[in-house]
Every structure is written in C-alpha cells, then in structure tokens.
C-alpha cells in the first residue's frame, strides 16, 4: 500500500495546453503557426519537412510556414516544470538569505552551483537573483577576474538563466562591453568557447548574440581577437546541431561589418555553410541560419566570389529552395541573385542551371513570395533561361516540376 501511495504521488498531471498536438509530449520549444496553433518546434519542423502545407490541428492551408516562438507559453511551461520538479524533490537547501550572502561574498565553484540550483527551483528565485542589488556587476567582475574555466562556465550559465529577465540584456551589454580600468570582459568568452564543455559553448554564443544590440556593440565583439574564429569553430560541430545553430545565430548578429564578413570568408564559412546544407538531417533552424549567413556574406564582393567558386554551395542553395521554409527560400533566392545576377558569375550560373534552378525559381515566383524576392526571381529567370538553352519555358516548367513538394 505504501508503495502504491508513493507511486501515485509521483504522477503529475500535465496541462493539455503544454502538450504538443503532434507528439503529445510537453513542449520544449513552443512555436506558433499563422493559424494560432502552437506546436513543439521539432515536431512541426518534421511535419513541414515532409511537404505538408496545412496546420496539423485544423488542417487549414497555410499561407505562410513561418513559425513564431511562443515565449509566454515557454515561460509558463518552465515555471510549471520547476514547480513539478520541486514537488517531487526535497526542498532546496539554499534560502533567499543564503543566496544573497553568496552574491555578496566570495564566489567559488561550490557557491555558484548552489546559487544555480536555487535559481532553477522557481521563477521567483530567478527574479530574486536577477534583481538583487549589484548582482550582475558582481558576476561580470568575477567572470573577468577568475582564471578557472569551471567558474567561468558556471557564470555563463547564470547569465543564460537571467538573460530573459527585464533589463538584464541591456545591463549585461553595458557591463561587458564597457569595462573600466582597461579590463577585457570579452576574452573570458573566448576562453569558454575554446576550453569549455559543449553546453557552456552554446550558452556563451547565445550571450554574445544577446549583447550585440547595436552596430557599436557588434563592432566591439567582432574586433575581439579570436572570438569570430571561436564562433565559426562552433558551426563546424557536425554531430551537434544545437551548437551549429547557436554559432550561426551569433555570427549573424555580430559579423555585420565588411571586415567581419571578410574574416568569416577567410575562415571558410562558405564551404561550411555548403556542407551544412548538404547534410541529410539538419534542423529547420540550422538551414535557415546557414542560408542567412550566405546572404550576409554575399553582400560583399569577396563573399560573392567565394560562393561562386564553391559549386557545392550553389547547388545546395538551389536544392533547399521550397524545401525548408519561406524564410530559408527567400534567403536562398537572395544568395543566388547576388552571385548569378549582381556578380554575373558564369560558373555559378551554370551550376544553378544544372541543379534545376530555373524550375525552382519559377516555383518560388508562384508561392506568394515578397515583392523584393519576386523581383530577384524575375532577373534570375532571365539568366538561368539563357544558360538552360530553352527557348520556350512552358514545356520545361510543365515537365520538370511534378516531383517537387514545396516545404
């Protein structure tokens, strides 16, 4: 009887709102379609990748396959999970008074681990730490002063936990990018990206992306020796798509100047993006960011040249059109237009034509794309039509599109 009673105590009723309509599991990354229905990101991406253009729950035709993160629901789920875990676990050994003492006292690995456990117990505890007087400045100060990689990993985790709290982003950006007394507050991030564990590297990339809030901050981060290279290295982690996506997102946010883009090109971002696109199972987010990075570097002459020279990159960009999402398709069209029309790269034109680019571009034109994308498509059709050697587009279009399942 005691065992049965204990088993009943372990059962937790999951609110239906928190379950993904596809997998029926608690959502980890809830995103909403234009129909207003929310799904777990991994489940809806698989659905869309199979070629479906309907909302699974309502079966409505989707005018757009773009998804929007449901941050409110995500926060509610995290709060519910923390309470559910707290109900099954022994009470936290750290009180608010203890947490305040840790923040004010000398920080070490053991005290930081206790503080992180305290923050994970509830939303209230998280807010308590984020809003504690001088807490963020203390964390930044210790992050810079400590030489221990474990302590830096723990502080990056603290930054990540409090990053969504009101005002934290701006304060972190101010403290990290405007250190006084000649201190370097960015080199510790480079150290974590080089020597930290996989989770800490992803968190560091997210924090760097978070604090790149304007051109000045983006310039400071990109000018930091080794940081761009460390973030680029993260995108080459073939077995860890979460690391790849975090690295690409950070590079998109940070490498906005021509100098930074040229450095990425030198490091090999074009070749890496082509390899990512040629993969058999990259996530939707990874594909979107890989093509967006290509669009970004294609805005400079060196980038267009590097893309044009990489036949695999051009062919994979064509292949991914209409196969991932509307956002990825529009990024892809911009890349192809940059190298085929703006740069007039004949090698890229031939590669795109050989990869059935004319058919794909025609499909994009009929998909309800934006006016700017439609304009680029029209120019691409002229170029690819000439390369394909077709004098009549109608039979070409009718006989070559039956096998393509958009998105």
């Amino acid at each position: 009887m005691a065992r049965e009673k204990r088993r009943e105590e372990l059962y937790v009723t999951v609110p239906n709102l928190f379950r993904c309509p596809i997998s029926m599991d608690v959502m980890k990354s809830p995103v909403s379609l234009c129909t207003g229905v929310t799904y777990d990101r991994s489940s809806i991406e698989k659905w869309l990748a199979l070629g479906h253009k309907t909302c699974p729950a309502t079966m409505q035709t989707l005018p757009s396959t773009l998804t929007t993160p449901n941050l409110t629901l995500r926060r509610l789920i995290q709060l519910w999970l923390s309470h559910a875990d707290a109900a099954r676990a022994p009470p936290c050994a750290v009180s608010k008074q203890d947490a305040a003492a840790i923040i004010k006292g000398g920080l070490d690995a053991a005290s930081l681990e206790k503080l992180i456990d305290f923050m994970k117990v509830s939303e209230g505890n998280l807010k308590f730490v984020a809003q504690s007087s001088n807490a963020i400045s203390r964390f930044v100060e210790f992050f810079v002063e400590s030489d221990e990689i474990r302590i830096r990993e723990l502080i990056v985790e603290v930054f990540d936990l409090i990053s969504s709290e009101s005002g934290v982003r701006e304060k972190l950006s101010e403290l990290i990018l405007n250190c006084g007394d000649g201190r370097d507050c960015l080199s510790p991030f480079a150290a974590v990206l080089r020597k930290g564990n996989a989770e800490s590297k992803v968190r560091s990339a997210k924090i760097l992306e978070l604090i790149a809030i304007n051109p000045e901050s983006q310039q400071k981060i990109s000018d930091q020796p080794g940081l761009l290279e460390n973030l680029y290295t993260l995108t080459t982690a073939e077995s860890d798509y979460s690391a790849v996506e975090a690295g690409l997102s950070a590079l998109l946010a940070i490498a906005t100047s021509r100098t930074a883009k040229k450095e990425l090109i030198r490091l090999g971002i074009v070749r890496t993006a082509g390899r990512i696109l040629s993969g058999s199972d990259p996530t939707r987010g990874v594909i979107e960011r890989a093509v967006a990075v290509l669009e970004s570097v294609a805005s400079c002459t060196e980038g267009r040249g590097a893309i044009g020279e990489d036949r695999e990159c051009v062919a994979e960009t064509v292949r991914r059109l209409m196969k991932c999402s509307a956002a990825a398709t529009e990024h892809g069209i911009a890349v192809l237009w940059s190298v085929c029309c703006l740069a007039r790269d004949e090698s890229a034109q031939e590669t795109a034509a050989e990869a059935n680019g004319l058919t794909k571009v025609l499909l994009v034109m009929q998909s309800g794309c934006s006016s700017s994308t439609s304009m680029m498509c029209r120019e691409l059709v002229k170029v690819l039509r000439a390369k394909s050697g077709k004098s009549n587009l109608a039979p070409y279009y009718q006989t070559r599109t039956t096998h393509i399942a958009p998105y």
Side-chain angles (χ1 to χ4, degrees):
M1 290 293 292
R3 183 178 297 176
E4 290 296 325
K5 183 177 180 181
R6 176 59 181 160
R7 186 178 299 169
E8 290 178 4
E9 290 174 352
L10 291 174
Y11 290 153
V12 176
T13 302
V14 179
N16 289 332
L17 182 65
F18 296 169
R19 292 185 184 274
C20 173
I22 297 175
S23 67
M24 298 307 296
D25 294 328
V26 177
M27 291 183 278
K28 296 179 181 178
S29 180
V31 294
S32 300
L33 290 175
C34 58
T35 57
V37 182
T38 299
Y39 302 90
D40 197 24
R41 182 185 294 277
S42 61
S43 297
I44 194 61
E45 284 182 354
K46 289 177 182 177
W47 170 267
L48 295 171
L50 290 172
H52 299 293
K53 294 196 71 175
T54 57
C55 173
T58 65
M59 295 312 294
Q60 291 176 266
T61 300
L62 296 172
S64 169
T65 57
L66 292 176
T67 58
T68 304
N70 192 328
L71 300 180
T72 301
L73 183 56
R74 181 180 179 182
R75 176 65 68 183
L76 288 172
I77 291 173
Q78 290 175 341
L79 182 59
W80 175 81
L81 285 172
S82 66
H83 283 304
D85 290 341
R88 294 193 299 265
C92 180
V94 180
S95 65
K96 288 187 176 181
Q97 186 176 359
D98 295 331
I102 290 173
I103 294 170
K104 292 178 182 178
L107 297 173
D108 55 29
S111 62
L112 283 169
E113 287 173 354
K114 289 180 181 179
L115 187 64
I116 289 170
D117 288 340
F118 169 80
M119 295 166 71
K120 290 180 177 179
V121 166
S122 70
E123 183 76 11
N125 287 0
L126 195 62
K127 287 184 179 294
F128 176 80
V129 173
Q131 296 172 2
S132 293
S133 177
N134 298 322
I136 298 176
S137 58
R138 286 276 294 128
F139 294 139
V140 172
E141 180 182 358
F142 201 62
F143 185 58
V144 176
E145 292 176 353
S146 177
D147 291 327
E148 294 183 39
I149 195 65
R150 179 56 185 158
I151 288 178
R152 285 177 169 175
E153 287 177 336
L154 291 169
I155 293 178
V156 165
E157 185 172 359
V158 171
F159 289 158
D160 186 47
L161 286 169
I162 64 176
S163 62
S164 60
E165 295 298 320
S166 177
V168 169
R169 179 188 186 188
E170 292 75 13
K171 194 162 187 178
L172 276 176
S173 182
E174 175 66 24
L175 290 170
I176 293 172
L177 298 176
N178 296 288
C179 286
D181 304 325
R183 293 182 301 168
D184 179 5
C185 295
L186 285 171
S187 60
F189 285 103
V192 175
L193 285 167
R194 287 195 310 272
K195 304 175 184 177
N197 59 41
E199 291 182 348
S200 296
K201 290 179 180 179
V202 170
R203 292 187 185 112
S204 294
K206 289 180 177 178
I207 297 303
L208 290 171
E209 178 184 358
L210 184 80
I211 64 175
I213 57 180
N214 53 43
E216 182 183 1
S217 58
Q218 293 158 6
Q219 187 71 46
K220 285 185 177 181
I221 297 171
S222 63
D223 285 347
Q224 178 66 30
L227 260 188
L228 283 181
E229 184 173 359
N230 296 146
L231 290 171
Y232 166 74
T233 301
L234 207 57
T235 69
T236 64
E238 296 184 11
S239 59
D240 187 354
Y241 278 129
S242 63
V244 173
E245 184 171 351
L248 290 171
S249 289
L251 290 176
L252 274 171
I254 295 164
T256 56
S257 69
R258 180 171 182 175
T259 302
K261 292 174 184 178
K262 287 172 66 175
E263 176 64 11
L264 288 185
I265 295 162
R266 185 192 69 79
L267 290 169
I269 192 65
V270 171
R271 181 179 63 255
T272 297
R275 178 187 53 77
I276 291 170
L277 295 177
S278 67
S280 58
D281 59 348
T283 64
R284 179 178 177 178
V286 168
I287 293 172
E288 288 179 347
R289 285 161 179 78
V291 188
V293 166
L294 288 175
E295 181 186 3
S296 177
V297 298
S299 64
C300 64
T301 305
E302 295 81 1
R304 293 190 290 274
I307 296 170
E309 292 172 0
D310 194 317
R311 292 179 63 87
E312 180 186 32
C313 183
V314 174
E316 290 302 324
T317 301
V318 172
R319 186 172 74 86
R320 289 293 179 180
L321 295 177
M322 302 291 289
K323 288 295 184 181
C324 174
S325 67
T329 293
E330 298 212 349
H331 290 314
I333 290 294
V335 172
L336 295 173
W337 177 85
S338 295
V339 293
C340 295
C341 300
L342 185 60
R344 294 287 178 182
D345 189 303
E346 291 193 6
S347 176
Q349 293 171 357
E350 291 171 1
T351 302
E354 291 169 4
N356 205 20
L358 180 58
T359 301
K360 285 293 195 75
V361 172
L362 286 167
L363 278 173
V364 175
M365 290 178 69
Q366 294 185 354
S367 68
C369 58
S370 66
S371 58
S372 59
T373 300
S374 180
M375 179 196 70
M376 288 187 279
C377 283
R378 288 194 293 272
E379 294 188 26
L380 278 168
V381 166
K382 294 177 184 177
V383 171
L384 297 179
R385 181 183 181 184
K387 283 295 176 182
S388 70
K390 299 291 181 178
S391 60
N392 185 355
L393 282 177
Y396 184 82
Y397 178 71
Q398 290 169 0
T399 59
R400 298 292 294 278
T401 61
T402 55
H403 68 289
I404 297 176
Y407 305 124

